[in-house]
Amino acid sequence: MIMIFGGGCPKATEDLGTIPYFCTKTDSWEIMKTKSIHNPPGRVAHSCNKIGNYIIVTGGQAQIESPDGARDFALSDIWLLDLESYLWTPVKTKSSQGNIFPFRCCRW
């Protein structure tokens, strides 16, 4: 299985409640739906990796709409996706400074 997290431009990001993946057994693209009530916001320029049965997603850039127009902002969050339960869990941190990681990828 090859999962895709984020990508595109900030205006086109969606939350990570649905994750496209390429199934190497069927040689086709499919969509995985997580079972979480709260999912990480969509993002670009983030860092992502797999450790054990968890996918870790942190930082990046997102966009919010406001009455005076859209604004880009750096994210400072960390999220874990349990690959057995398909539940996202936010990790509490003391950092309030966002991190943007351009040109990074996830490997496992």
Side-chain angles (χ1 to χ4, degrees):
M1 175 187 319
I2 301 169
M3 292 182 161
I4 307 296
F5 287 88
C9 63
K11 292 179 184 178
T13 58
E14 297 181 13
D15 76 32
L16 297 178
T18 57
I19 301 168
Y21 70 93
F22 185 78
C23 181
T24 55
K25 291 181 181 178
T26 63
D27 202 27
S28 63
W29 285 97
E30 300 182 21
I31 298 288
M32 177 187 71
K33 294 188 182 213
T34 64
K35 298 176 182 175
S36 301
I37 295 172
H38 301 288
N39 298 303
R43 60 195 65 218
V44 297
H46 56 283
S47 183
C48 176
N49 215 329
K50 178 180 182 281
I51 298 177
N53 282 331
Y54 293 94
I55 296 289
I56 302 167
V57 175
T58 184
Q61 181 180 354
Q63 188 175 84
I64 57 169
E65 296 291 330
S66 63
D68 57 345
R71 298 208 194 302
D72 295 335
F73 64 99
L75 297 166
S76 61
D77 57 352
I78 299 173
W79 289 81
L80 299 177
L81 174 62
D82 184 319
L83 294 174
E84 291 181 7
S85 67
Y86 295 108
L87 291 171
W88 283 107
T89 303
V91 177
K92 295 184 189 247
T93 66
K94 294 181 181 179
S95 173
S96 61
Q97 180 178 354
N99 294 300
I100 297 175
F101 304 99
F103 311 111
R104 302 291 189 259
C105 66
C106 176
R107 148 185 147 2
W108 66 87

